[in-house]
Every structure is written in structure tokens, then in C-alpha cells.
Amino acid sequence: MNGRCLEYREKIAELLAGDPSGGDADAVERHLRECPECRRYQEVLLQDDEMLTAYVRSAEETVTRLEGMAVEAITSEKNANYVSPAPTGARWGPRVFRSRTMKFAAAAVVILGIIAVANLFDGTGGSDVVWADVMRQVEQAQDFICRVQQENSDDPDLEMVQYRSQKYGYRMDMYRDGRLVAAQYFKPSSELLYVIVHRDRTYAVVELSEEQREQMLSESNAQSLVDYFRSFEFEELGRKKIDGAVASGIEVVDPEPMKAVFDESSVRLWVDVETNWPVRIEWEGVAKRGRVRVETVLDRFQWNPSLSADDFEFEIPDDYQLIGRMDAPRKDERSAIEGLREYAGFTGGRYPSALSLATALHEVEDELGRRRGGGRLSKGDFGDLMKIQNACGLYVDLVEADKDAAYYGDVVGIRDFDRVLLRWRLDDGQYRVIYGDLRAETVSPERLAELEGRSRR
Amino acid sequence: MSEEDLVAASRDGDRRAYATLVRRHAKRVYAVCVGVLGSDADVEDVFQETFVKGMTKINTLRDNKQFAGWILQIARNLCRDHSRKRRRRQKLLQQRPSRHGASPGEFSELHIALEKLPEKHRVPLMLFYFDGKSTEKLAEELNVSKAGACTRLFRARNELRKLLGEREDNR
């Protein structure tokens, strides 16, 4: 083998790849006649090529099977919401309640976010129902109690009881083996939501913005539930027996509610056909492209149980330790960047693959577990980590406002200084761009197209 | 129907159009999955996940002409997510990766060699063989020049040969 053999071998490989380049092919031929080692190299290469070709052919059956499964999944009715921008089905009233619904969803961000964070701390046929009558009845309810269960949570033994009163606020008790282990409280006079973990003798505080406070108040009222179901198109689910009573159900088919928390969600409401009172609400949230799925069921409803102020009183014993304070989310560019920066700091430079709180929290969970040996968040970590909700909130607002927002956290990290992480259209038609390294600038649509071409590479 | 028309129709919610895109790109997506993950059971999951994600995110694709590169990038990222999880899982369970795809018996030596081949060599090799053995296509998929694609293929072949040779020598 002489000094030029390596060069010729590269050309031999090119020829094998069906890429003969002019005179090179003749030169290679001449060299092969003279060099037995390169002839041997060519023979081995041909054998490997045949083996690889046969290997790929043998895998074709697998590819065809997978292809068929993917096509079936995509074309099945079950996944219609993924791509259909216009869901079909019955419509209950005009969509004028959209903004209130978003308030409901935003309030849920806080509550569900806290539930998610609490889990981190834990380590662990035809309808004969007149839906308008149901809604009117629920609308007039002053308060209600229900059981809340998370069907496939990390902690299946956790049972929650929720108390909601228009006058006195919101409370959620969490039980394990019949023992109260944690509780959440919100009072109409306050701007704070408290999460008390009795088991650990700790508590966390969530500061609500004025807007969020109003949302919480709205949510403490059964009116929000009515608005929620009025705001979206729904489909009839037929009848089934729930706790011995015949119930009739509907499913909200809008794929976007609560998208600041989950990527997709759907809600089913079941109503006792005799009393017209809701007996079961099933909520399903999906994040991380289906890999994180939370199913929450509200049942055992008590409507108008005459709750009093005492039912919402709480005290935090002196020896309970404050483990975290979550500031109200600020949905401006600067705060969003701060949240993304803090998040990337936790994950070694990665951003959430989708800007939803559930995705962000689940993706950071592994990092935290590894760093701390499966331990708990420190007070500082908690606050810093939750700043990601600023970015989630901003993104949802931009999508809602139809600002042509796009987010590429699944393919862009903090080292991608020249790739677009988040962008949205400004009122003057220009685009605001936040790059992977979190610089921000305003660019023309043409420049954005150029940048995004790069982002996808 | 052109690729661009199919992407445009998919954006409008035409699932049959998107299914056609799936069929057109299935082999190269599979090649990336095998290239990054090797013979791992996660290949099937990631393959499915790639196309479902592509469908849900198609409105973020700005240039309809770039679907091919875009869907492969989704596959690469999902593969890397799975790789990270797999490493953690293996560490926890002290397990070897499971086999997948073509019968290990038939290509056992090749399987083992491919398993050991670094991702930077395995991906070009798999893309080349699964996608019609074209250096032009490989160059597009890797976003490099044709000469660059040939060089990568050359290195990958040589590395694979070394690994196969080691196996033969050890017998």
C-alpha cells in the first residue's frame, strides 16, 4: 500500500456508491490492476455492501409494518383533532365566552402546576338531557364539593377532595390511606394560593397576579364550569351508569384548552338524567407527544352543600418550613427569556420540547433527580424553575392572539446562537425572534424565513 | 401530487395527504432511527412518534419544500431523547439493549458491529442504504456537499469493516 492508496480507496468507495467521477474511474481501474491490497479492499467493500443491502432488504418488512401502523394512527378518527382545525359536532351556544374560558384555563395552570410540583416534592346514544337546563342549574349553584382523582399519577393512592365556594374560595384536601397529607387554599380576599404539605411539615406559596386572582375567583364559582362547556363544541357520548344512576355525557372536542399546561386535552361531562346535576367530569391532558398523560376524574359531587367560612380556614403551624414561593407569572419577553434561561440552567442547555408547563416539569424532573439523587427541590430551585411558566404564558397569549407564534425548543438549545427558538409577529408585520442563546431581535419576514431554514437543519 | 402540495394539504388537515408523506419518508426516518438508536426496541416508538409529531407540528413548518429535512430533524431529536432515557434505564436495570428489526441470527455479526459503530458513522450508512443508495440524497439529508457525504460514507464503511474484522479475528 503506497501513499496514494488511501486516496484511491476513497474513490473506490465513491464508485461503489454509484458516483463515478469522470477520469477518476479510469485512474482507479489502473491503480487496482497494480495494487493487490486495494483489490482486496475493493472485494471486502463489495462483500460489506452486499451484506448491508441484504440487511436493509430484510428490514423492509419491518418498515412497511411500521409505515402501515403510522398511517393507520394518522388516519384514524381517534386522532382527528391532531390536524383538523375545525372539529365537527354539535355546538352549544356561540363562542363568545372564549376569553372567560381562557381565564379558566389559565387558572388551571396554577392549580395543575402546583399539583405537578407537589408530585415533584413527593418524589413520588342519544341524549334525553336538555343541556341548557343543566347549565342553568349548575350556574345557580353557590358551592360544591367533589372528589378528585388522578388516574395514572405517580401516586395512585392519593385521593383529593375539592371544595369550591363562590363566597369563600377554594380548598383541596389530599389524603393517603385516609390521612390528610397536603392541602391547598385560596381565599377571595387574598392574592396568595397556599400549598401545605402536612406529611413533610412544609408549605409553598403561589403569588397570583390580579388577573389570576380574578380567574381563581371565577373558577371558585360553578359558573366557570358552565362557561367552559358553553365555549366549545361538544359531542354526545350517550349513556352509562355511574354510581347506580343513569348518566348522559358530552365531550368537549376543542383540542386547545389548558395548552399552557398540556399540549392537548379533552373533557367529558356526565350528568344524572334524573336530577340534571353533573356526577362525573373526566379530564385528560397529554404532554410530550403522548408520553405524559394525566387523567383527572372529578366525581362524588355534592351540589349546594352550604359551605361556611370555617370550611376554608387554615393555619400554618410555626414549625412548618417554607419550601418555595412562586411569583405570579409575567408574560412579557424579558420574563420569558429569564424563565427559559433558568430552565436551560437546570437541564444543561436544553429547553422544554413544548412550551407547556407539564412538558417542562416532566422533562426537568430527570435532571433534578440525577443531580440530587432523587431528592427534593431547594427553595431557590423551586422559584427559579417555575419561571418557565412565564415563557409558557407568553407563548399561549401569542398563539391566542394569532401572532403567528412558533417555538422550536425540541430542536434548538442554548448553544444554537443563530437558530430561532421562539418567534412571533409584531403589529407592523415584522417578527420578534428569540434565538437559542436567548438574544432577541426584530427581523423582517424574509430574514425570518432564512433564519428558520437554518433552525430546521 | 407534489411534495409541496402534500404538505400544504396536510396543513389544511388532510390526513390522507399526510399519510402519503409518511409513506414517502418512512424508509429514511427508519434509517435515522436505526442509525441513532441502533437495534433498540425504541426504534418502533420513535418512528411512530416522529410522524405523529410531524402531523401535530406541521403548521410550524415554514417552507413546504423543506419537509424532508424537517421530519428527519424531528426523528433525530426524538431519538436523542430516547437515547438519554435508555442510558438511564440501562444504568438502573443493568440491561443490554434489546434487539430489533432484521433477524439477529441472519445478520448477527453485522448487528453487533453496527451496534458498536458510533452514531456519526451509523446514521450516514443507514440513510444511504435505506434511501436508495444515492449520494445526492445522502448529501441533502446530512446537509453537506456530495463530496462530504462520500467522505462520511467512506469513513463509516471503514469503521464498520474494522469492527467486522475484529469479530472475524476473534473467532
Side-chain angles (χ1 to χ4, degrees):
Chain A
M1 182 165 147
N2 62 42
R4 296 203 64 194
C5 283
L6 190 63
E7 197 181 313
Y8 278 114
R9 287 182 182 191
E10 197 159 347
K11 291 186 190 305
I12 291 167
E14 283 173 25
L15 284 167
L16 185 69
D19 187 33
S21 39
D24 283 351
D26 295 336
V28 169
E29 282 295 314
R30 279 197 300 276
H31 178 77
L32 282 172
R33 278 199 294 272
E34 293 160 7
C35 181
E37 286 178 51
C38 284
R39 277 205 301 278
R40 172 69 191 142
Y41 175 79
Q42 186 192 33
E43 279 168 23
V44 170
L45 216 57
L46 279 166
Q47 283 168 13
D48 289 351
D49 180 66
E50 279 171 19
M51 184 165 54
L52 281 160
T53 305
Y55 165 75
V56 166
R57 203 172 293 134
S58 76
E60 272 175 7
E61 201 180 308
T62 305
V63 180
T64 307
R65 178 174 57 81
L66 290 175
E67 182 188 303
M69 282 163 64
V71 167
E72 194 184 327
I74 283 154
T75 51
S76 76
E77 283 308 312
K78 198 179 164 194
N79 286 330
N81 284 343
Y82 277 126
V83 285
S84 171
T88 55
R91 177 181 279 271
W92 199 96
R95 295 174 76 107
V96 293
F97 297 97
R98 182 90 187 182
S99 61
R100 272 184 75 92
T101 303
M102 284 317 294
K103 285 181 177 181
F104 180 89
V109 169
V110 176
I111 295 165
L112 292 166
I114 287 299
I115 291 170
V117 170
N119 285 341
L120 285 177
F121 282 114
D122 259 352
T124 60
S127 173
D128 40 15
V129 168
V130 180
W131 292 100
D133 291 348
V134 171
M135 298 303 167
R136 262 194 297 277
Q137 181 164 280
V138 173
E139 217 166 6
Q140 286 163 16
Q142 292 298 306
D143 45 29
F144 65 91
I145 302 172
C146 65
R147 180 177 71 166
V148 181
Q149 286 177 295
Q150 276 188 282
E151 295 284 302
N152 50 355
S153 74
D154 291 340
D155 194 353
D157 297 329
L158 196 70
E159 191 172 277
M160 296 171 274
V161 180
Q162 191 179 86
Y163 299 74
R164 289 188 179 276
S165 161
Q166 196 167 351
K167 197 171 173 185
Y168 304 114
Y170 160 87
R171 164 182 154 199
M172 172 105 86
D173 291 345
M174 303 179 194
Y175 297 90
R176 189 182 290 110
D177 301 326
R179 284 187 57 204
L180 182 68
V181 291
Q184 297 176 5
Y185 295 92
F186 166 74
K187 288 184 183 179
S189 57
S190 167
E191 57 189 26
L192 300 174
L193 178 75
Y194 285 86
V195 182
I196 303 171
V197 186
H198 296 293
R199 190 197 63 179
D200 299 338
R201 307 184 82 77
T202 57
Y203 68 103
V205 182
V206 181
E207 185 192 329
L208 304 176
S209 66
E210 185 53 36
E211 184 193 5
Q212 280 183 318
R213 189 176 157 274
E214 282 177 24
Q215 290 157 6
M216 282 296 287
L217 289 172
S218 155
E219 198 193 343
S220 295
N221 170 347
Q223 174 72 47
S224 64
L225 190 66
V226 175
D227 285 351
Y228 182 77
F229 281 96
R230 273 180 176 159
S231 301
F232 296 102
E233 294 164 1
F234 65 79
E235 284 177 353
E236 301 271 1
L237 295 170
R239 287 170 153 212
K240 73 173 180 181
K241 270 199 165 182
I242 296 176
D243 294 335
V246 177
S248 191
I250 53 172
E251 181 176 33
V252 167
V253 295
D254 193 305
E256 293 191 341
M258 301 185 199
K259 68 185 162 190
V261 182
F262 290 92
D263 304 334
E264 309 279 343
S265 69
S266 62
V267 186
R268 293 175 289 276
L269 168 68
W270 295 92
V271 169
D272 186 322
V273 296
E274 293 291 323
T275 66
N276 270 355
W277 283 113
V279 289
R280 185 178 172 96
I281 296 172
E282 298 158 351
W283 181 87
E284 185 180 32
V286 177
K288 287 191 77 181
R289 303 168 293 278
R291 299 194 71 77
V292 174
R293 186 177 295 275
V294 175
E295 292 174 47
T296 302
V297 175
L298 280 64
D299 64 359
R300 298 191 186 169
F301 278 91
Q302 294 175 45
W303 292 97
N304 290 323
S306 301
L307 295 170
S308 71
D310 288 347
D311 292 315
F312 296 86
E313 284 301 329
F314 66 96
E315 274 183 24
I316 300 172
D318 292 341
D319 63 335
Y320 277 35
Q321 189 192 351
L322 176 66
I323 50 169
R325 185 178 174 103
M326 189 168 97
D327 294 334
R330 296 186 300 274
K331 297 183 279 187
D332 56 88
E333 178 187 303
R334 197 174 159 182
S335 305
I337 288 174
E338 189 190 359
L340 289 162
R341 182 171 287 119
E342 294 290 354
Y343 189 91
F346 274 95
T347 59
R350 282 183 291 110
Y351 298 115
S353 61
L355 265 186
S356 72
L357 199 55
T359 294
L361 289 173
H362 278 87
E363 287 181 351
V364 86
E365 200 174 2
D366 287 341
E367 296 286 339
L368 290 167
R370 188 165 51 229
R371 207 184 327 155
R372 302 184 182 282
R376 297 161 182 225
L377 290 164
S378 73
K379 184 177 170 181
D381 286 347
F382 174 83
D384 291 342
L385 176 61
M386 291 311 295
K387 285 178 185 168
I388 193 63
Q389 68 168 336
N390 297 335
C392 298
L394 173 66
Y395 183 61
V396 169
D397 279 2
L398 292 167
V399 171
E400 274 298 300
D402 202 17
K403 295 285 186 188
D404 193 19
Y407 173 73
Y408 300 100
D410 54 342
V411 292
V412 174
I414 203 160
R415 287 169 199 87
D416 297 314
F417 66 93
D418 60 346
R419 296 172 75 185
V420 179
L421 174 65
L422 175 63
R423 54 94 160 151
W424 65 95
R425 193 180 56 235
L426 300 170
D427 292 341
D428 62 0
Q430 301 281 91
Y431 278 80
R432 191 69 178 160
V433 170
I434 297 175
Y435 294 95
D437 65 356
L438 301 177
R439 280 178 304 116
E441 71 171 340
T442 301
V443 301
S444 66
E446 295 74 25
R447 173 71 179 145
L448 177 69
E450 196 183 308
L451 288 167
E452 290 195 323
R454 194 183 297 164
S455 291
R456 292 194 189 95
R457 286 203 293 270
Chain B
M1 210 169 183
S2 75
E3 179 107 338
E4 284 173 71
D5 291 341
L6 287 168
V7 174
S10 301
R11 281 182 198 278
D12 292 337
D14 183 341
R15 282 175 281 156
R16 277 185 298 185
Y18 188 78
T20 305
L21 288 170
V22 171
R23 289 190 192 96
R24 281 192 188 178
H25 295 275
K27 279 188 182 172
R28 57 181 69 165
V29 165
Y30 184 80
V32 166
C33 294
V34 174
V36 178
L37 295 171
S39 56
D40 188 276
D42 285 345
V43 164
E44 295 203 1
D45 288 345
V46 177
F47 178 92
Q48 299 283 336
E49 221 177 296
T50 298
F51 285 114
V52 170
K53 181 168 185 186
M55 181 169 68
T56 60
K57 294 267 181 181
I58 196 142
N59 284 323
T60 66
L61 174 60
R62 203 164 170 81
D63 184 350
N64 290 2
K65 290 178 196 159
Q66 294 186 351
F67 181 82
W70 180 74
I71 198 77
L72 289 185
Q73 189 58 48
I74 289 176
R76 280 189 196 99
N77 287 317
L78 290 175
C79 284
R80 284 179 187 142
D81 284 351
H82 276 253
S83 274
R84 277 193 291 271
K85 283 180 196 156
R86 182 177 62 181
R87 280 197 294 273
R88 283 198 293 271
R89 205 165 57 218
Q90 281 166 6
K91 209 175 165 185
L92 284 171
L93 302 174
Q94 296 291 305
Q95 283 177 342
R96 289 185 60 78
S98 54
R99 296 273 172 237
H100 175 265
S103 151
E106 198 180 344
F107 296 100
S108 57
E109 296 300 318
L110 181 62
H111 261 290
I112 293 165
L114 283 172
E115 197 71 46
K116 286 184 178 172
L117 195 67
E119 183 193 319
K120 66 177 178 182
H121 296 313
R122 199 165 50 203
V123 170
L125 211 52
M126 291 296 101
L127 274 170
F128 179 74
Y129 280 95
F130 272 101
D131 200 16
K133 292 170 80 168
S134 154
T135 47
E136 280 91 352
K137 279 188 194 169
L138 180 65
E140 272 176 37
E141 285 154 359
L142 297 175
N143 199 26
V144 295
S145 65
K146 197 173 147 189
C150 285
T151 303
R152 290 193 191 193
L153 205 50
F154 173 67
R155 289 180 185 152
R157 285 185 200 283
N158 286 348
E159 286 303 312
L160 182 69
R161 171 72 346 240
K162 266 190 218 165
L163 291 166
L164 287 167
E166 277 170 19
R167 302 275 315 162
E168 284 161 11
D169 292 346
N170 289 338
R171 280 206 302 261

